[in-house]
mmCIF file of all heavy atoms in Angstrom:
data_model
loop_
_atom_site.group_PDB
_atom_site.id
_atom_site.type_symbol
_atom_site.label_atom_id
_atom_site.label_comp_id
_atom_site.label_asym_id
_atom_site.label_seq_id
_atom_site.Cartn_x
_atom_site.Cartn_y
_atom_site.Cartn_z
ATOM 1 N N PRO J 1209 30.512 57.868 179.622
ATOM 2 C CA PRO J 1209 29.170 58.411 179.994
ATOM 3 C C PRO J 1209 29.169 59.942 180.109
ATOM 4 O O PRO J 1209 28.144 60.577 179.831
ATOM 5 C CB PRO J 1209 28.885 57.742 181.341
ATOM 6 C CG PRO J 1209 29.809 56.585 181.429
ATOM 7 C CD PRO J 1209 30.991 56.969 180.687
ATOM 8 N N SER J 1210 30.291 60.479 180.566
ATOM 9 C CA SER J 1210 30.340 61.965 180.792
ATOM 10 C C SER J 1210 31.814 62.398 180.692
ATOM 11 O O SER J 1210 32.726 61.705 181.181
ATOM 12 C CB SER J 1210 29.764 62.301 182.147
ATOM 13 O OG SER J 1210 30.106 63.657 182.541
ATOM 14 N N GLU J 1211 32.035 63.575 180.132
ATOM 15 C CA GLU J 1211 33.353 64.113 180.101
ATOM 16 C C GLU J 1211 33.998 64.302 181.474
ATOM 17 O O GLU J 1211 35.220 64.235 181.624
ATOM 18 C CB GLU J 1211 33.451 65.414 179.310
ATOM 19 C CG GLU J 1211 33.435 65.292 177.804
ATOM 20 C CD GLU J 1211 34.687 64.623 177.272
ATOM 21 O OE1 GLU J 1211 35.744 64.774 177.897
ATOM 22 O OE2 GLU J 1211 34.570 63.870 176.276
ATOM 23 N N ASP J 1212 33.129 64.464 182.471
ATOM 24 C CA ASP J 1212 33.597 64.634 183.809
ATOM 25 C C ASP J 1212 34.352 63.349 184.315
ATOM 26 O O ASP J 1212 35.113 63.443 185.284
ATOM 27 C CB ASP J 1212 32.440 64.975 184.774
ATOM 28 C CG ASP J 1212 31.829 66.301 184.509
ATOM 29 O OD1 ASP J 1212 32.494 67.127 183.871
ATOM 30 O OD2 ASP J 1212 30.658 66.488 184.898
ATOM 31 N N LEU J 1213 34.088 62.251 183.681
ATOM 32 C CA LEU J 1213 34.641 60.971 184.125
ATOM 33 C C LEU J 1213 35.843 60.590 183.284
ATOM 34 O O LEU J 1213 36.424 59.488 183.489
ATOM 35 C CB LEU J 1213 33.586 59.847 184.044
ATOM 36 C CG LEU J 1213 32.338 60.033 184.917
ATOM 37 C CD1 LEU J 1213 31.311 58.944 184.604
ATOM 38 C CD2 LEU J 1213 32.765 60.018 186.396
ATOM 39 N N ARG J 1214 36.267 61.431 182.350
ATOM 40 C CA ARG J 1214 37.335 61.048 181.428
ATOM 41 C C ARG J 1214 38.605 60.647 182.146
ATOM 42 O O ARG J 1214 39.271 59.676 181.734
ATOM 43 C CB ARG J 1214 37.599 62.151 180.402
ATOM 44 C CG ARG J 1214 38.711 61.776 179.382
ATOM 45 C CD ARG J 1214 38.776 62.781 178.242
ATOM 46 N NE ARG J 1214 37.686 62.658 177.335
ATOM 47 C CZ ARG J 1214 37.580 61.740 176.349
ATOM 48 N NH1 ARG J 1214 38.523 60.843 176.188
ATOM 49 N NH2 ARG J 1214 36.510 61.719 175.565
ATOM 50 N N GLN J 1215 39.040 61.457 183.118
ATOM 51 C CA GLN J 1215 40.308 61.157 183.772
ATOM 52 C C GLN J 1215 40.309 59.761 184.429
ATOM 53 O O GLN J 1215 41.257 58.994 184.330
ATOM 54 C CB GLN J 1215 40.578 62.233 184.834
ATOM 55 C CG GLN J 1215 41.971 62.115 185.466
ATOM 56 C CD GLN J 1215 42.325 63.233 186.400
ATOM 57 O OE1 GLN J 1215 41.546 64.229 186.463
ATOM 58 N NE2 GLN J 1215 43.420 63.154 187.072
ATOM 59 N N LYS J 1216 39.191 59.417 185.088
ATOM 60 C CA LYS J 1216 39.029 58.117 185.698
ATOM 61 C C LYS J 1216 39.060 56.995 184.674
ATOM 62 O O LYS J 1216 39.745 55.982 184.841
ATOM 63 C CB LYS J 1216 37.782 58.077 186.542
ATOM 64 C CG LYS J 1216 37.604 56.779 187.360
ATOM 65 C CD LYS J 1216 36.364 56.846 188.200
ATOM 66 C CE LYS J 1216 36.210 55.565 189.054
ATOM 67 N NZ LYS J 1216 34.990 55.636 189.939
ATOM 68 N N HIS J 1217 38.332 57.138 183.598
ATOM 69 C CA HIS J 1217 38.318 56.156 182.548
ATOM 70 C C HIS J 1217 39.684 56.004 181.904
ATOM 71 O O HIS J 1217 40.072 54.939 181.494
ATOM 72 C CB HIS J 1217 37.250 56.539 181.525
ATOM 73 C CG HIS J 1217 35.847 56.125 181.906
ATOM 74 N ND1 HIS J 1217 35.070 55.223 181.229
ATOM 75 C CD2 HIS J 1217 35.068 56.547 182.941
ATOM 76 C CE1 HIS J 1217 33.912 55.058 181.812
ATOM 77 N NE2 HIS J 1217 33.893 55.877 182.835
ATOM 78 N N HIS J 1218 40.329 57.171 181.711
ATOM 79 C CA HIS J 1218 41.626 57.146 181.068
ATOM 80 C C HIS J 1218 42.652 56.320 181.873
ATOM 81 O O HIS J 1218 43.462 55.517 181.321
ATOM 82 C CB HIS J 1218 42.134 58.535 180.905
ATOM 83 C CG HIS J 1218 43.381 58.695 180.083
ATOM 84 N ND1 HIS J 1218 43.405 58.554 178.689
ATOM 85 C CD2 HIS J 1218 44.680 58.941 180.382
ATOM 86 C CE1 HIS J 1218 44.608 58.687 178.240
ATOM 87 N NE2 HIS J 1218 45.414 58.910 179.228
ATOM 88 N N ALA J 1219 42.622 56.448 183.195
ATOM 89 C CA ALA J 1219 43.516 55.679 184.047
ATOM 90 C C ALA J 1219 43.269 54.203 183.911
ATOM 91 O O ALA J 1219 44.213 53.434 183.839
ATOM 92 C CB ALA J 1219 43.376 56.165 185.503
ATOM 93 N N VAL J 1220 41.996 53.822 183.874
ATOM 94 C CA VAL J 1220 41.674 52.414 183.713
ATOM 95 C C VAL J 1220 42.117 51.899 182.354
ATOM 96 O O VAL J 1220 42.641 50.783 182.217
ATOM 97 C CB VAL J 1220 40.168 52.191 183.913
ATOM 98 C CG1 VAL J 1220 39.715 50.775 183.514
ATOM 99 C CG2 VAL J 1220 39.741 52.514 185.341
ATOM 100 N N TYR J 1221 41.915 52.747 181.315
ATOM 101 C CA TYR J 1221 42.280 52.372 179.947
ATOM 102 C C TYR J 1221 43.784 52.068 179.872
ATOM 103 O O TYR J 1221 44.192 51.100 179.314
ATOM 104 C CB TYR J 1221 41.902 53.555 179.052
ATOM 105 C CG TYR J 1221 41.945 53.285 177.586
ATOM 106 C CD1 TYR J 1221 41.443 52.153 177.011
ATOM 107 C CD2 TYR J 1221 42.452 54.271 176.715
ATOM 108 C CE1 TYR J 1221 41.447 51.927 175.641
ATOM 109 C CE2 TYR J 1221 42.444 54.117 175.325
ATOM 110 C CZ TYR J 1221 41.965 52.933 174.783
ATOM 111 O OH TYR J 1221 41.968 52.749 173.457
ATOM 112 N N LEU J 1222 44.603 52.968 180.423
ATOM 113 C CA LEU J 1222 46.017 52.768 180.371
ATOM 114 C C LEU J 1222 46.446 51.504 181.151
ATOM 115 O O LEU J 1222 47.282 50.743 180.657
ATOM 116 C CB LEU J 1222 46.784 53.961 180.989
ATOM 117 C CG LEU J 1222 46.587 55.317 180.305
ATOM 118 C CD1 LEU J 1222 47.441 56.373 181.054
ATOM 119 C CD2 LEU J 1222 46.969 55.247 178.835
ATOM 120 N N GLU J 1223 45.838 51.249 182.255
ATOM 121 C CA GLU J 1223 46.134 50.046 183.038
ATOM 122 C C GLU J 1223 45.800 48.794 182.240
ATOM 123 O O GLU J 1223 46.595 47.831 182.184
ATOM 124 C CB GLU J 1223 45.411 50.079 184.360
ATOM 125 C CG GLU J 1223 45.689 48.877 185.256
ATOM 126 C CD GLU J 1223 44.901 48.926 186.566
ATOM 127 O OE1 GLU J 1223 44.323 49.980 186.854
ATOM 128 O OE2 GLU J 1223 44.789 47.882 187.207
ATOM 129 N N ASN J 1224 44.598 48.768 181.670
ATOM 130 C CA ASN J 1224 44.219 47.595 180.917
ATOM 131 C C ASN J 1224 45.037 47.375 179.641
ATOM 132 O O ASN J 1224 45.375 46.237 179.299
ATOM 133 C CB ASN J 1224 42.707 47.739 180.511
ATOM 134 C CG ASN J 1224 41.774 47.327 181.707
ATOM 135 O OD1 ASN J 1224 42.131 46.529 182.554
ATOM 136 N ND2 ASN J 1224 40.598 47.860 181.659
ATOM 137 N N LEU J 1225 45.341 48.475 178.963
ATOM 138 C CA LEU J 1225 46.192 48.323 177.757
ATOM 139 C C LEU J 1225 47.569 47.843 178.118
ATOM 140 O O LEU J 1225 48.136 47.030 177.367
ATOM 141 C CB LEU J 1225 46.257 49.641 177.027
ATOM 142 C CG LEU J 1225 44.958 50.120 176.324
ATOM 143 C CD1 LEU J 1225 45.155 51.456 175.692
ATOM 144 C CD2 LEU J 1225 44.474 49.076 175.293
ATOM 145 N N SER J 1226 48.088 48.293 179.177
ATOM 146 C CA SER J 1226 49.430 47.830 179.620
ATOM 147 C C SER J 1226 49.399 46.361 179.927
ATOM 148 O O SER J 1226 50.295 45.555 179.501
ATOM 149 C CB SER J 1226 49.860 48.590 180.869
ATOM 150 O OG SER J 1226 51.168 48.155 181.303
ATOM 151 N N PHE J 1227 48.349 45.899 180.608
ATOM 152 C CA PHE J 1227 48.223 44.459 180.889
ATOM 153 C C PHE J 1227 48.115 43.702 179.566
ATOM 154 O O PHE J 1227 48.776 42.645 179.365
ATOM 155 C CB PHE J 1227 46.944 44.246 181.715
ATOM 156 C CG PHE J 1227 46.571 42.775 181.797
ATOM 157 C CD1 PHE J 1227 47.201 41.895 182.707
ATOM 158 C CD2 PHE J 1227 45.600 42.250 180.952
ATOM 159 C CE1 PHE J 1227 46.816 40.596 182.784
ATOM 160 C CE2 PHE J 1227 45.228 40.914 181.013
ATOM 161 C CZ PHE J 1227 45.887 40.072 181.926
ATOM 162 N N ALA J 1228 47.236 44.138 178.637
ATOM 163 C CA ALA J 1228 47.019 43.468 177.388
ATOM 164 C C ALA J 1228 48.278 43.388 176.538
ATOM 165 O O ALA J 1228 48.657 42.333 175.995
ATOM 166 C CB ALA J 1228 45.908 44.136 176.576
ATOM 167 N N ALA J 1229 49.021 44.482 176.522
ATOM 168 C CA ALA J 1229 50.272 44.517 175.749
ATOM 169 C C ALA J 1229 51.261 43.521 176.364
ATOM 170 O O ALA J 1229 51.991 42.839 175.601
ATOM 171 C CB ALA J 1229 50.860 45.935 175.685
ATOM 172 N N GLN J 1230 51.377 43.446 177.673
ATOM 173 C CA GLN J 1230 52.306 42.536 178.325
ATOM 174 C C GLN J 1230 51.976 41.090 178.004
ATOM 175 O O GLN J 1230 52.823 40.300 177.685
ATOM 176 C CB GLN J 1230 52.302 42.776 179.819
ATOM 177 C CG GLN J 1230 52.915 44.073 180.274
ATOM 178 C CD GLN J 1230 52.730 44.333 181.769
ATOM 179 O OE1 GLN J 1230 52.300 43.455 182.503
ATOM 180 N NE2 GLN J 1230 52.998 45.568 182.159
ATOM 181 N N GLN J 1231 50.693 40.756 178.112
ATOM 182 C CA GLN J 1231 50.254 39.428 177.788
ATOM 183 C C GLN J 1231 50.486 39.059 176.329
ATOM 184 O O GLN J 1231 50.922 37.941 175.987
ATOM 185 C CB GLN J 1231 48.775 39.203 178.188
ATOM 186 C CG GLN J 1231 48.509 39.380 179.649
ATOM 187 C CD GLN J 1231 49.365 38.494 180.552
ATOM 188 O OE1 GLN J 1231 49.388 37.276 180.355
ATOM 189 N NE2 GLN J 1231 50.058 39.115 181.489
ATOM 190 N N ALA J 1232 50.120 39.986 175.438
ATOM 191 C CA ALA J 1232 50.263 39.735 174.015
ATOM 192 C C ALA J 1232 51.760 39.574 173.629
ATOM 193 O O ALA J 1232 52.106 38.796 172.756
ATOM 194 C CB ALA J 1232 49.657 40.895 173.252
ATOM 195 N N ALA J 1233 52.638 40.333 174.282
ATOM 196 C CA ALA J 1233 54.039 40.272 173.965
ATOM 197 C C ALA J 1233 54.657 38.887 174.201
ATOM 198 O O ALA J 1233 55.556 38.478 173.549
ATOM 199 C CB ALA J 1233 54.792 41.344 174.745
ATOM 200 N N LYS J 1234 54.083 38.194 175.186
ATOM 201 C CA LYS J 1234 54.561 36.849 175.531
ATOM 202 C C LYS J 1234 54.409 35.898 174.353
ATOM 203 O O LYS J 1234 55.132 34.890 174.273
ATOM 204 C CB LYS J 1234 53.858 36.334 176.730
ATOM 205 C CG LYS J 1234 54.109 37.108 178.014
ATOM 206 C CD LYS J 1234 53.284 36.553 179.169
ATOM 207 C CE LYS J 1234 53.460 37.402 180.420
ATOM 208 N NZ LYS J 1234 52.636 36.881 181.549
ATOM 209 N N VAL J 1235 53.418 36.139 173.464
ATOM 210 C CA VAL J 1235 53.189 35.267 172.309
ATOM 211 C C VAL J 1235 53.373 35.979 170.992
ATOM 212 O O VAL J 1235 52.895 35.501 169.990
ATOM 213 C CB VAL J 1235 51.766 34.651 172.474
ATOM 214 C CG1 VAL J 1235 51.695 33.672 173.599
ATOM 215 C CG2 VAL J 1235 50.698 35.709 172.636
ATOM 216 N N GLY J 1236 54.023 37.124 171.005
ATOM 217 C CA GLY J 1236 54.388 37.813 169.772
ATOM 218 C C GLY J 1236 53.245 38.514 169.070
ATOM 219 O O GLY J 1236 53.253 38.708 167.833
ATOM 220 N N LEU J 1237 52.211 38.935 169.852
ATOM 221 C CA LEU J 1237 51.060 39.637 169.196
ATOM 222 C C LEU J 1237 51.111 41.162 169.453
ATOM 223 O O LEU J 1237 51.692 41.593 170.399
ATOM 224 C CB LEU J 1237 49.728 39.073 169.750
ATOM 225 C CG LEU J 1237 49.122 37.892 168.975
ATOM 226 C CD1 LEU J 1237 49.999 36.668 169.004
ATOM 227 C CD2 LEU J 1237 47.715 37.544 169.476
ATOM 228 N N THR J 1238 50.440 41.842 168.589
ATOM 229 C CA THR J 1238 50.290 43.313 168.716
ATOM 230 C C THR J 1238 48.863 43.627 169.127
ATOM 231 O O THR J 1238 47.862 43.054 168.615
ATOM 232 C CB THR J 1238 50.606 43.973 167.366
ATOM 233 O OG1 THR J 1238 51.958 43.749 167.038
ATOM 234 C CG2 THR J 1238 50.325 45.489 167.434
ATOM 235 N N VAL J 1239 48.693 44.551 170.038
ATOM 236 C CA VAL J 1239 47.396 45.061 170.488
ATOM 237 C C VAL J 1239 47.086 46.366 169.743
ATOM 238 O O VAL J 1239 47.977 47.216 169.620
ATOM 239 C CB VAL J 1239 47.424 45.315 172.009
ATOM 240 C CG1 VAL J 1239 46.064 45.874 172.472
ATOM 241 C CG2 VAL J 1239 47.741 44.047 172.745
ATOM 242 N N LEU J 1240 45.886 46.492 169.268
ATOM 243 C CA LEU J 1240 45.451 47.704 168.530
ATOM 244 C C LEU J 1240 44.369 48.443 169.277
ATOM 245 O O LEU J 1240 43.477 47.824 169.870
ATOM 246 C CB LEU J 1240 44.961 47.284 167.164
ATOM 247 C CG LEU J 1240 45.915 46.510 166.226
ATOM 248 C CD1 LEU J 1240 45.186 46.062 164.999
ATOM 249 C CD2 LEU J 1240 47.064 47.405 165.816
ATOM 250 N N ILE J 1241 44.450 49.751 169.192
ATOM 251 C CA ILE J 1241 43.375 50.596 169.695
ATOM 252 C C ILE J 1241 42.868 51.470 168.488
ATOM 253 O O ILE J 1241 43.690 51.710 167.566
ATOM 254 C CB ILE J 1241 43.815 51.536 170.833
ATOM 255 C CG1 ILE J 1241 44.927 52.436 170.388
ATOM 256 C CG2 ILE J 1241 44.200 50.699 172.028
ATOM 257 C CD1 ILE J 1241 45.367 53.454 171.456
ATOM 258 N N GLU J 1242 41.621 51.823 168.468
ATOM 259 C CA GLU J 1242 41.071 52.509 167.303
ATOM 260 C C GLU J 1242 40.236 53.738 167.686
ATOM 261 O O GLU J 1242 39.226 53.600 168.443
ATOM 262 C CB GLU J 1242 40.198 51.582 166.516
ATOM 263 C CG GLU J 1242 39.603 52.196 165.282
ATOM 264 C CD GLU J 1242 38.645 51.253 164.523
ATOM 265 O OE1 GLU J 1242 38.148 50.321 165.135
ATOM 266 O OE2 GLU J 1242 38.429 51.509 163.300
ATOM 267 N N PRO J 1243 40.655 54.920 167.200
ATOM 268 C CA PRO J 1243 39.721 56.065 167.309
ATOM 269 C C PRO J 1243 38.502 55.873 166.410
ATOM 270 O O PRO J 1243 38.687 55.575 165.205
ATOM 271 C CB PRO J 1243 40.621 57.250 166.802
ATOM 272 C CG PRO J 1243 42.043 56.730 166.887
ATOM 273 C CD PRO J 1243 41.922 55.253 166.632
ATOM 274 N N ILE J 1244 37.315 56.072 166.939
ATOM 275 C CA ILE J 1244 36.069 55.825 166.248
ATOM 276 C C ILE J 1244 35.221 57.060 166.318
ATOM 277 O O ILE J 1244 35.141 57.785 167.378
ATOM 278 C CB ILE J 1244 35.292 54.625 166.822
ATOM 279 C CG1 ILE J 1244 36.158 53.365 166.626
ATOM 280 C CG2 ILE J 1244 33.956 54.455 166.232
ATOM 281 C CD1 ILE J 1244 35.529 52.109 167.228
ATOM 282 N N ASN J 1245 34.559 57.435 165.211
ATOM 283 C CA ASN J 1245 33.764 58.663 165.191
ATOM 284 C C ASN J 1245 32.478 58.501 166.055
ATOM 285 O O ASN J 1245 31.953 57.413 166.177
ATOM 286 C CB ASN J 1245 33.420 59.031 163.754
ATOM 287 C CG ASN J 1245 32.271 58.253 163.166
ATOM 288 O OD1 ASN J 1245 31.109 58.499 163.451
ATOM 289 N ND2 ASN J 1245 32.575 57.256 162.322
ATOM 290 N N THR J 1246 32.052 59.621 166.592
ATOM 291 C CA THR J 1246 30.883 59.593 167.490
ATOM 292 C C THR J 1246 29.565 59.724 166.752
ATOM 293 O O THR J 1246 28.514 59.758 167.410
ATOM 294 C CB THR J 1246 30.998 60.730 168.526
ATOM 295 O OG1 THR J 1246 31.189 61.997 167.887
ATOM 296 C CG2 THR J 1246 32.186 60.530 169.455
ATOM 297 N N ARG J 1247 29.571 59.728 165.434
ATOM 298 C CA ARG J 1247 28.317 59.574 164.687
ATOM 299 C C ARG J 1247 27.926 58.110 164.650
ATOM 300 O O ARG J 1247 26.773 57.777 164.846
ATOM 301 C CB ARG J 1247 28.504 60.135 163.291
ATOM 302 C CG ARG J 1247 27.196 60.177 162.490
ATOM 303 C CD ARG J 1247 27.428 60.809 161.081
ATOM 304 N NE ARG J 1247 28.122 59.849 160.212
ATOM 305 C CZ ARG J 1247 28.701 60.250 159.130
ATOM 306 N NH1 ARG J 1247 28.757 61.511 158.770
ATOM 307 N NH2 ARG J 1247 29.308 59.372 158.339
ATOM 308 N N ASP J 1248 28.865 57.221 164.373
ATOM 309 C CA ASP J 1248 28.632 55.796 164.354
ATOM 310 C C ASP J 1248 28.443 55.254 165.772
ATOM 311 O O ASP J 1248 27.582 54.394 166.006
ATOM 312 C CB ASP J 1248 29.738 55.046 163.643
ATOM 313 C CG ASP J 1248 29.670 55.163 162.138
ATOM 314 O OD1 ASP J 1248 29.387 56.251 161.624
ATOM 315 O OD2 ASP J 1248 29.908 54.142 161.465
ATOM 316 N N ILE J 1249 29.288 55.662 166.689
ATOM 317 C CA ILE J 1249 29.198 55.219 168.091
ATOM 318 C C ILE J 1249 29.225 56.457 168.991
ATOM 319 O O ILE J 1249 30.280 56.857 169.446
ATOM 320 C CB ILE J 1249 30.344 54.254 168.442
ATOM 321 C CG1 ILE J 1249 30.426 53.049 167.468
ATOM 322 C CG2 ILE J 1249 30.153 53.743 169.894
ATOM 323 C CD1 ILE J 1249 31.487 52.047 167.798
ATOM 324 N N PRO J 1250 28.068 57.008 169.258
ATOM 325 C CA PRO J 1250 28.014 58.214 170.170
ATOM 326 C C PRO J 1250 28.628 57.901 171.527
ATOM 327 O O PRO J 1250 28.383 56.838 172.093
ATOM 328 C CB PRO J 1250 26.503 58.479 170.250
ATOM 329 C CG PRO J 1250 25.902 57.907 168.988
ATOM 330 C CD PRO J 1250 26.704 56.666 168.729
ATOM 331 N N GLY J 1251 29.434 58.801 171.976
ATOM 332 C CA GLY J 1251 30.027 58.620 173.267
ATOM 333 C C GLY J 1251 31.292 57.750 173.332
ATOM 334 O O GLY J 1251 31.803 57.501 174.466
ATOM 335 N N PHE J 1252 31.811 57.321 172.172
ATOM 336 C CA PHE J 1252 32.971 56.471 172.232
ATOM 337 C C PHE J 1252 34.137 57.204 172.823
ATOM 338 O O PHE J 1252 34.359 58.425 172.591
ATOM 339 C CB PHE J 1252 33.352 55.968 170.820
ATOM 340 C CG PHE J 1252 34.249 54.765 170.833
ATOM 341 C CD1 PHE J 1252 33.796 53.540 171.196
ATOM 342 C CD2 PHE J 1252 35.623 54.921 170.482
ATOM 343 C CE1 PHE J 1252 34.632 52.407 171.232
ATOM 344 C CE2 PHE J 1252 36.449 53.846 170.525
ATOM 345 C CZ PHE J 1252 36.006 52.582 170.883
ATOM 346 N N PHE J 1253 34.945 56.512 173.602
ATOM 347 C CA PHE J 1253 35.982 57.112 174.438
ATOM 348 C C PHE J 1253 37.098 57.751 173.613
ATOM 349 O O PHE J 1253 37.645 58.797 173.917
ATOM 350 C CB PHE J 1253 36.586 56.059 175.384
ATOM 351 C CG PHE J 1253 37.693 56.584 176.239
ATOM 352 C CD1 PHE J 1253 37.413 57.357 177.381
ATOM 353 C CD2 PHE J 1253 39.015 56.303 175.957
ATOM 354 C CE1 PHE J 1253 38.416 57.820 178.195
ATOM 355 C CE2 PHE J 1253 40.044 56.810 176.768
ATOM 356 C CZ PHE J 1253 39.740 57.538 177.901
ATOM 357 N N LEU J 1254 37.464 57.124 172.496
ATOM 358 C CA LEU J 1254 38.675 57.515 171.720
ATOM 359 C C LEU J 1254 38.183 57.910 170.309
ATOM 360 O O LEU J 1254 37.585 57.054 169.600
ATOM 361 C CB LEU J 1254 39.640 56.329 171.631
ATOM 362 C CG LEU J 1254 41.039 56.571 171.068
ATOM 363 C CD1 LEU J 1254 41.837 57.473 172.034
ATOM 364 C CD2 LEU J 1254 41.755 55.219 170.891
#
C-alpha cells in the first residue's frame, strides 16, 4: 500500500516464504516467487 510499510511487509514475506519452503520440502516441491511489473499490477511488492 505504501513504501513506508515495506519493511513490515518484507518481514512477513520472509516468514511466510520460510514456512512455505519448509512445508514444500517435506514433499519434494519447489516454491517460486515472481517479480512482476507495476504496469500490469500497480503496487506489486516484488
Side-chain angles (χ1 to χ4, degrees):
S1210 166
E1211 279 296 327
D1212 294 339
L1213 298 173
R1214 180 170 289 278
Q1215 186 173 354
K1216 184 176 183 180
H1217 279 244
H1218 189 74
V1220 172
Y1221 192 44
L1222 297 183
E1223 180 182 346
N1224 279 334
L1225 290 178
S1226 180
F1227 168 83
Q1230 289 172 13
Q1231 298 305 306
K1234 295 176 183 178
V1235 289
L1237 268 66
T1238 296
V1239 178
L1240 300 172
I1241 60 174
E1242 181 184 21
I1244 296 177
N1245 80 78
T1246 54
R1247 186 178 74 197
D1248 282 42
I1249 305 182
F1252 196 74
F1253 179 79
L1254 192 67

